[in-house]
Amino acid sequence: MATTGLTAKKSSFLQIQGWGFGPAATNYASRLNVDNNHLKLAKYSIGIGDRFAHQAKAQLQACVQALQNGVQVIPVWNKSNREHTIIGSEPLSVRRAADAAVRALHWEEPYFCDADHITLQTVDRFLESCDFYTIDVADSIGKPATAADMESFVRRHPELLGRVQLEGVDEHFEVTREHLTRTAEKFLVAVKKAGEVYRKIENAKGAGNFIPEISMDETDRPQSTMELLIILAAIADEGIPVQTIAPKFSGRFNKGVDYVGDVAQFEPELALDVSAITYAVRQYDLPENLKLSVHSGSDKFSIYPAIHATIKRFNAGVHLKTAGTTWLEELIGLAEAGGDGLARAKEIYSEAFAGRDELCRPYATVIDVEPAKLPPPDEVRGWSSEQYTSALRHVSGTAAYNSSFRQLLHVGFKVAARMGRRYLDLLELNEAVIAKNVTENLYDRHIGPVFLGRAGTVRNSTGRNA
Ligand SMILES: [Zn+2]
């Protein structure tokens, strides 16, 4: 078996600690969540992200705080090919930053680097440095499967015909042959595509040396629970030991802002999806730690109580991707620092405003910027630190908070990327104030409500905890 990535690091760890085989080694292995030499993602995990590879420590600090409060939340540094391309960075930079943060904070729990939203065309440059792969097959959804493939799928899955009862929920489903065939027609090509990508990674890294996730979130229509169940059956047929799956949920999951949709409806839907996963794990022998992954999961404050209640009710896990929110905390930190930091934050806004059409285009399905609500750059130039941070900081319900301003800046990281050292030098100069914002945002507003079941800490307009 090839020992790459975490596997290699793990064995050197064991030597450093002076642990041989025996109970201590076993405990260590189970703490690292390694099963029969297979990497295994723990119950609770959080996708954290770092556009400019400067906040790894501040983000990890939020997981340290969770652990100090008795809850293990595993950090997964994720960065998509799209982000790397826009910024001009390489996947190895994410690995290096994560490794350095882990060493600096003496983090002894597992951690991973996620090749986020990769396809057959883009996976190659992630093969060396990543040990988590989010295989994106959204583009293949709806490409019609062949009649032969549909027929053999339906023949293989008589359990999905007629009455399907999931455990732990009152609802049941009545599935007709027609429904099953149509759903197979819509998703089989995408699942086969996922199989191709999975096998390419497996050939390069060896089975069990990476965590596979399958994402279907970047598409126009949410998947129903029954569709999710049928997709999972197809994934099992395809032989993919999937550990996390990211469906598209109903409602809008816009980047960096709160959930837009029916909050009361979200909880029962989530419960059905979780019970579909339990069913699929048992019926199709998928990995027992398989769980939902919530993409664009940062800042969805209104549904965090529902997520927490559901994982508790079903004793289920969840992976929450929050990558983009951290870059906005960098801007908040710079603005809070005043002086050159505030000036640079304003300059970034004014360039983002000028280039808004180009910046928003790649994210059209995941942002809702209302042009009329964007303050003119001239006005922003006159803002104090307090005005800038309270417009940007995500505290809904305050008069100053402006979700259009926030979303434009969310996709505006390209502007900072173009500034290069002019931006990075200021990050380094203002590390303390930025780190404080990054950690507080992740811990108080995300990890706390989702994993620990604590109400988010609301900050008043002076920036202090209320
Ligand atoms: Zn996604």
Side-chain angles (χ1 to χ4, degrees):
M1 189 196 70
T3 52
T4 53
L6 195 74
T7 318
K9 227 170 284 123
K10 200 177 5 101
S11 39
S12 59
F13 233 121
L14 288 174
Q15 280 156 16
I16 293 165
Q17 305 278 335
W19 289 343
F21 296 103
T26 314
N27 288 342
Y28 193 74
S30 70
R31 229 178 69 225
L32 274 176
N33 302 302
V34 183
D35 245 21
N36 304 320
N37 280 326
H38 277 49
L39 287 184
K40 190 179 150 205
L41 187 61
K43 192 173 183 181
Y44 298 156
S45 49
I46 186 162
I48 52 181
D50 205 352
R51 305 267 192 255
F52 299 100
H54 273 61
Q55 308 309 331
K57 233 166 64 181
Q59 294 179 94
L60 182 58
Q61 179 60 31
C63 295
V64 169
Q65 283 171 218
L67 199 61
Q68 285 164 350
N69 282 282
V71 179
Q72 185 203 45
V73 180
I74 297 303
V76 180
W77 275 270
N78 61 263
K79 195 163 179 178
S80 64
N81 193 60
R82 177 172 59 193
E83 270 177 82
H84 278 298
T85 309
I86 292 174
I87 287 171
S89 55
E90 284 297 325
L92 192 59
S93 62
V94 177
R95 164 62 65 188
R96 287 211 178 108
D99 287 350
V102 161
R103 273 195 308 273
L105 297 188
H106 308 288
W107 178 255
E108 294 189 350
E109 310 299 312
Y111 65 103
F112 299 94
C113 290
D114 176 4
D116 200 12
H117 284 285
I118 46 92
T119 63
L120 207 53
Q121 285 72 41
T122 55
V123 67
D124 289 276
R125 66 167 166 160
F126 294 90
L127 289 173
E128 199 192 317
S129 53
C130 289
D131 47 15
F132 188 125
Y133 291 80
T134 298
I135 303 172
D136 184 342
V137 292
D139 279 352
S140 302
I141 293 174
K143 289 195 180 151
T146 65
D149 281 348
M150 285 188 284
E151 245 168 66
S152 81
F153 179 83
V154 173
R155 215 176 316 115
R156 249 193 330 273
H157 294 289
E159 77 287 354
L160 292 176
L161 277 176
R163 186 188 169 99
V164 178
Q165 178 69 56
L166 302 175
E167 218 175 279
V169 288
D170 297 332
E171 295 88 336
H172 71 273
F173 296 89
E174 294 290 346
V175 185
T176 62
R177 181 172 294 273
E178 159 80 11
H179 180 194
L180 188 57
T181 311
R182 287 284 85 83
T183 309
E185 178 178 32
K186 192 170 164 200
F187 292 102
L188 281 185
V189 171
V191 173
K192 276 191 190 303
K193 192 55 129 191
E196 279 175 52
V197 184
Y198 171 76
R199 282 184 292 275
K200 182 168 186 178
I201 305 164
E202 193 191 63
N203 282 336
K205 302 191 75 78
N209 290 326
F210 62 97
I211 311 279
E213 163 163 326
I214 295 179
S215 70
M216 304 191 157
D217 62 308
E218 295 199 356
T219 178
D220 341 313
R221 220 182 50 83
Q223 291 107 31
S224 68
T225 295
M226 210 48 222
E227 283 174 332
L228 176 63
L229 189 54
I230 292 165
I231 290 165
L232 288 170
I235 288 173
D237 288 348
E238 194 62 29
I240 308 169
V242 64
Q243 295 191 29
T244 51
I245 182 147
K248 183 179 176 70
F249 299 103
S250 62
R252 274 181 80 80
F253 284 70
N254 285 340
K255 297 278 177 190
V257 292
D258 205 348
Y259 177 75
V260 182
D262 187 343
V263 175
Q265 190 53 37
F266 181 80
E267 186 166 338
E269 281 179 18
L270 188 68
L272 285 174
D273 284 355
V274 169
S275 50
I277 285 183
T278 309
Y279 177 99
V281 166
R282 193 163 315 145
Q283 184 79 33
Y284 308 119
D285 210 19
L286 286 165
E288 50 88 20
N289 62 326
L290 173 62
K291 61 180 177 175
L292 287 171
S293 173
V294 181
H295 281 215
S296 300
S298 85
D299 299 279
K300 302 300 171 286
F301 304 149
S302 63
I303 54 169
Y304 289 170
I307 296 178
H308 182 75
T310 307
I311 59 181
K312 284 289 164 189
R313 175 177 158 202
F314 290 91
N315 192 22
V318 73
H319 181 59
L320 184 79
K321 288 201 179 182
T322 69
T325 195
T326 284
W327 134 254
L328 292 173
E329 296 302 321
E330 284 183 346
L331 282 181
I332 289 170
L334 286 181
E336 203 172 293
D340 289 347
L342 177 62
R344 197 61 35 88
K346 290 175 180 176
E347 189 186 338
I348 288 170
Y349 176 69
S350 108
E351 284 189 31
F353 185 88
R356 58 192 182 280
D357 293 340
E358 173 220 358
L359 291 171
C360 293
R361 201 172 301 122
Y363 293 93
T365 59
V366 283
I367 53 173
D368 276 323
V369 173
E370 291 178 61
K373 299 224 168 120
L374 291 171
D378 274 349
E379 182 191 320
V380 173
R381 258 188 289 275
W383 280 2
S384 64
S385 288
E386 154 65 16
Q387 281 172 298
Y388 194 107
T389 57
S390 53
L392 182 53
R393 191 176 275 131
H394 190 182
V395 184
S396 8
T398 58
Y401 170 62
N402 182 332
S403 72
S404 290
F405 180 69
R406 184 171 164 91
Q407 288 179 89
L408 176 58
L409 283 169
H410 191 286
V411 299
F413 61 92
K414 193 176 187 173
V415 173
R418 277 197 296 255
M419 290 176 171
R421 279 317 318 175
R422 289 182 62 234
Y423 178 70
L424 300 179
D425 286 347
L426 281 172
L427 285 189
E428 287 157 22
L429 207 62
N430 298 293
E431 187 187 336
V433 58
I434 292 171
K436 175 180 72 78
N437 280 291
V438 168
T439 306
E440 267 181 20
N441 174 50
L442 266 187
Y443 185 74
D444 291 348
R445 302 199 191 95
H446 295 85
I447 290 178
V450 171
F451 299 105
L452 286 82
R454 290 188 184 166
T457 313
V458 178
R459 304 178 97 207
N460 63 24
S461 59
T462 62
R464 291 203 192 84
N465 292 336

